């Protein structure tokens, strides 16, 4: 009879959300839609990331970034949001921490907006609708930049 | 309203709905609606600004909205709750944003405001002096009417 040990476990590899020291990367999700936040959260936690906080607009995102700092590795930033839009929040977070790793995640794919975001210091830009594989790829790419 | 404005909305609606719902989508005939109009039960609205002013309404029955939200969340939602509302407003946001991106490529400068949602029976929408063009879309979950009203600024 086979014992449990005979089966290789699926999770023998280190999940992508873990650093080499075994601790998870900490992510702040900024989006005004509960639907999108839940979606990104599911993608990230399935790979072992720690969603340290979520924020519902740019101002909230900026405040939470400052609260979490320096224990935050990555931010996903929506653009179309009430109170403060994501491009303004990007600018303000970079002002506070020029090394912040921010990925814009927007339904808008306008070239000038993509360019502007990258010029302001965003590390990556993903256009919604979201796809699990693409989000995880870009997140890893950004963390390794 | 200029005809160039409407096609990007039709295309964006098709692309986004196909991608997030993974079902067959059919388009009905476009038609014009007059100033005051009843809506179907769940209406999400996105405002437009920039070279133009106007708004886009996404209008559907609550049962349709609930079926769409369930499909997009990968789980059957029991009632039209906050998550379901957030899902439908994000769908409206994604379609409008993709249309605006296409319009941008054609040289039009449009911006959008964060979406809002209204629910309830016997609602009416009244736009003064803007005629609306309706794009009806049919799928197994029911019907969505995308109601586009755009006016050039003077
Ligand atoms: Mg948004």
């Amino acid at each position: 009879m086979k014992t449990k040990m005979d089966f290789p476990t699926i999770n023998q590899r280190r999940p992508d959300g873990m650093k080499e020291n075994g601790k998870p990367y900490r992510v702040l999700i900024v989006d005004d839609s509960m639907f999108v936040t839940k979606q990104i959260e599911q993608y990230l936690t399935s790979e072992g990331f720690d969603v340290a906080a979520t924020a519902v607009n740019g101002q909230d995102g900026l405040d939470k970034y400052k609260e979490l700092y320096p224990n935050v590795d990555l931010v996903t930033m929506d653009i179309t949001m009430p109170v403060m839009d994501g491009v303004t929040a990007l600018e303000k977070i970079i002002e506070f921490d020029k090394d912040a790793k921010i990925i814009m995640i927007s339904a808008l794919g306008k070239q000038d907006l993509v360019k502007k975001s990258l010029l302001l210091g965003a590390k990556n830009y993903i256009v919604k609708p979201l796809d699990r594989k693409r989000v995880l790829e870009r997140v890893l790419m950004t963390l390794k930049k | 309203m200029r005809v160039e404005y409407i096609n990007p909305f039709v295309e964006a609606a098709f692309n986004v709905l196909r991608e997030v719902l993974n079902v067959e989508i059919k388009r009905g005939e476009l038609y014009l609606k007059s100033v005051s109009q009843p809506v179907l039960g769940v209406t999400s609205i996105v405002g437009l600004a920039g070279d133009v002013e106007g708004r886009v309404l996404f209008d559907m029955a609550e049962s349709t909205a609930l079926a769409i939200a369930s499909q997009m969340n990968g789980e059957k939602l029991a009632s039209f709750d906050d998550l379901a509302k957030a899902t439908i407003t994000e769908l409206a946001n994604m379609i409008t944003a993709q249309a605006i991106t296409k319009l941008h490529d054609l040289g039009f400068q449009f911006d959008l405001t964060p979406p809002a949602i209204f629910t309830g029976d016997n609602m009416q929408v009244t736009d003064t002096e803007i005629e609306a063009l309706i794009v009806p879309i049919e799928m197994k979950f029911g019907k969505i009417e995308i109601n586009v009203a755009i006016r050039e600024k003077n």
Side-chain angles (χ1 to χ4, degrees), chain B residues 61-121:
Chain B
E62 191 179 289
S63 58
T64 303
L66 188 59
I68 289 174
S70 296
Q71 179 86 352
M72 285 175 68
N73 281 283
E75 60 178 303
K76 193 156 174 38
L77 303 179
S79 67
F80 199 64
D81 57 8
D82 288 348
L83 176 61
K85 285 180 190 166
T87 308
I88 298 299
T89 48
E90 184 60 25
L91 178 65
N93 177 55
M94 286 191 289
I95 293 172
T96 310
Q98 194 174 106
I100 282 177
T101 301
K102 286 174 197 286
L103 282 161
H104 185 80
D105 294 340
L106 298 173
F108 300 107
Q109 289 294 342
F110 279 56
D111 245 312
L112 79 171
T113 59
I117 193 161
F118 303 96
T119 58
D121 294 328

Side-chain angles (χ1 to χ4, degrees), chain A residues 30-33 36 56 78-82 105-107 128, chain B residues 90 93 114-115:
Chain A
V30 188
D31 200 297
D32 61 330
S33 171
V36 180
V56 296
D78 184 23
I79 292 184
T80 307
M81 292 184 287
I105 299 190
S106 174
K128 293 174 193 169
Chain B
E90 184 60 25
N93 177 55

